[in-house]
Amino acid sequence: MRKTFLAATVILTLISCKKEEAPISIEANQTPIEKLIAGNQRFLEEKTIHPHQNKKSVLENQNGQHPFAVIVTCSDSRVAPEILFDQGIGDLFVIRNAGNLISDIDMGSIEYAVEHLDAKLIVVLGHTECGAIKAYVSDKNNDYKKHHNHIDDIVETIAQEKEEIEEEKLHSKDKNLLGCINANIEHSYKTIANNPIIIKHETQILSMRYDVHTGKIVKL
């Protein structure tokens, strides 16, 4: 009787199991941007394959790295490029700070990835609900000029961006968070695009924005 019960349980379990889906593979001939877009789509559809996230990848990259893209993005804990683009060890050269700003050190990191690591793509990845931009748009009285802390340095850097100044001429910044986020992304994009080393190597540059509400990344 017990054997019959166990056999029936096994049969019911097999019947209830979903049919396994065919494994998703990465196309070898995809361009860098196609790899990123496809990866984010997998993330959105909950079909991530977590490529190059194993000990084998560690060993394959132990003597050098060959990232196919540079991602300049925010330090926000909700914005994790390797997860959102479904990539792994050795795939992305990631540069992060509050507000995805471009300091001399950040620019030097970008130059290194392009000139010495042969990265073919640079992505400036801003995001909705960015805390750094929120600090800027909520500062109605330019209190950042008092410089009580280093956060003021971040706000001042954003306030001095030409694109932010132009955007504020069109719309009041305190009611235009998304417009200011886009202006900040555009500023970083233009700063990188005007770099002589980037121009020399003819590196592709893209502006993108991540939506923290949906998980989707779009090109601007």
Side-chain angles (χ1 to χ4, degrees):
M1 186 73 178
R2 184 177 179 184
K3 289 183 179 180
T4 303
F5 175 77
L6 290 174
T9 301
V10 171
I11 292 172
L12 289 172
T13 301
L14 291 174
I15 292 174
S16 64
C17 286
K18 293 182 179 179
K19 183 180 180 181
E20 289 189 9
E21 297 181 357
I24 300 172
S25 61
I26 299 176
E27 297 293 335
N29 61 347
Q30 283 183 326
T31 65
I33 187 57
E34 287 173 341
K35 290 181 181 180
L36 295 181
I37 292 174
N40 183 239
Q41 191 60 38
R42 293 194 300 271
F43 174 77
L44 290 172
E45 296 175 356
E46 297 187 340
K47 295 179 179 179
T48 50
I49 58 177
H50 309 291
H52 312 140
Q53 295 183 23
N54 49 33
K55 183 64 176 295
K56 178 183 177 182
S57 296
V58 172
L59 299 176
E60 289 176 344
N61 287 275
Q62 63 182 317
N63 295 320
Q65 56 175 318
H66 305 283
F68 68 83
V70 178
I71 310 294
V72 181
T73 193
C74 186
S75 297
D76 193 300
S77 61
R78 298 167 292 182
V79 186
E82 286 88 353
I83 295 175
L84 303 178
F85 286 120
D86 193 25
Q87 302 299 323
I89 295 171
D91 292 328
L92 305 178
F93 190 88
V94 181
I95 301 163
R96 301 180 69 172
N97 60 56
N100 39 268
L101 305 176
I102 307 295
S103 68
D104 289 342
I105 293 174
D106 298 305
M107 186 62 83
S109 299
I110 296 170
E111 291 176 355
Y112 174 77
V114 170
E115 193 164 45
H116 297 278
L117 303 181
D118 199 30
K120 301 299 184 184
L121 172 69
I122 302 170
V123 172
V124 178
L125 180 64
H127 69 97
T128 59
E129 308 298 342
C130 179
I133 307 301
K134 281 186 174 181
Y136 161 67
V137 300
S138 64
D139 186 7
K140 298 179 181 179
N141 301 315
N142 294 329
D143 289 332
Y144 70 84
K145 293 183 178 180
K146 298 176 183 179
H147 283 280
H148 293 302
N149 51 49
H150 290 295
I151 296 175
D152 291 334
D153 295 331
I154 297 173
V155 177
E156 181 176 37
T157 299
I158 296 170
Q160 291 177 347
E161 294 176 353
K162 178 182 177 181
E163 291 74 15
E164 296 291 357
I165 295 171
E166 294 298 320
E167 184 67 22
E168 191 170 357
K169 290 179 182 178
L170 301 174
H171 307 283
S172 175
K173 68 178 184 179
D174 60 328
K175 299 178 181 179
N176 189 31
L177 176 60
L178 187 60
C180 291
I181 288 171
N182 290 341
N184 169 253
I185 297 171
E186 182 182 6
H187 176 78
S188 293
Y189 169 89
K190 289 181 177 178
T191 301
I192 297 169
N194 289 325
N195 181 290
I197 292 177
I198 308 305
I199 294 172
K200 175 184 176 183
H201 287 266
E202 299 181 340
T203 310
Q204 182 183 12
I205 312 170
L206 284 178
S207 297
M208 304 187 82
R209 187 184 66 234
Y210 170 64
D211 190 333
V212 300
H213 304 288
T214 66
K216 186 174 181 60
I217 295 174
V218 296
K219 291 192 290 184
L220 298 181

